[in-house]
């Protein structure tokens, strides 16, 4: 029974993230409110956010401005140089 419950929880997490993602390779720039700027590459995007690769030392919760496509976004997760951004309202 525990295995079934674990599988259901895993499937629920997958379903929550099942929004269509568009793979891409778009060079752009991000900046933070205090003025620092970094080059980055958008590697995927969805209607809710972006996956980027950057050398920027960001923290979860930081707000960044994406140069192109123009957007304001919040850092949701970080894994090495890969960063997940959610477009901010």
């Amino acid at each position: 029974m525990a295995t079934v419950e674990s599988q259901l929880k895993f499937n629920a997490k997958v379903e929550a993230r099942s929004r269509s993602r568009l793979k891409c390779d778009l060079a752009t720039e991000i900046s933070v409110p205090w003025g620092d700027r970094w080059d980055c590459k958008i590697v995927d995007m969805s209607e809710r956010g972006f996956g980027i690769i950057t050398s920027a030392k960001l923290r979860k919760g930081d707000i960044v401005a994406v140069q192109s496509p123009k957007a304001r976004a919040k850092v949701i997760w970080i894994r090495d140089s890969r960063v997940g951004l959610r477009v901010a309202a």
Side-chain angles (χ1 to χ4, degrees), residues 1 8 16 18 20 23 51 60 69 72 74 78 80 85-86:
M1 189 64 162
L8 289 174
S18 66
S20 158
K23 299 284 184 196
K60 189 174 176 180
R72 191 170 152 259
K74 182 177 183 178
I78 302 166
D80 300 320
L85 302 176
R86 178 176 296 146

Side-chain angles (χ1 to χ4, degrees), residues 37-48:
R37 296 176 172 272
W38 300 273
D39 291 330
C40 75
K41 181 171 30 170
I42 299 174
V43 294
D44 65 60
M45 60 175 69
S46 72
E47 66 184 51
R48 292 179 48 181

Side-chain angles (χ1 to χ4, degrees), residues 5-24:
E5 289 174 2
S6 296
Q7 188 62 37
L8 289 174
K9 287 179 185 176
F10 174 78
N11 287 341
K13 289 179 185 176
V14 170
E15 291 298 320
R17 183 156 177 197
S18 66
R19 298 204 184 262
S20 158
R21 291 189 165 284
L22 173 65
K23 299 284 184 196
C24 52

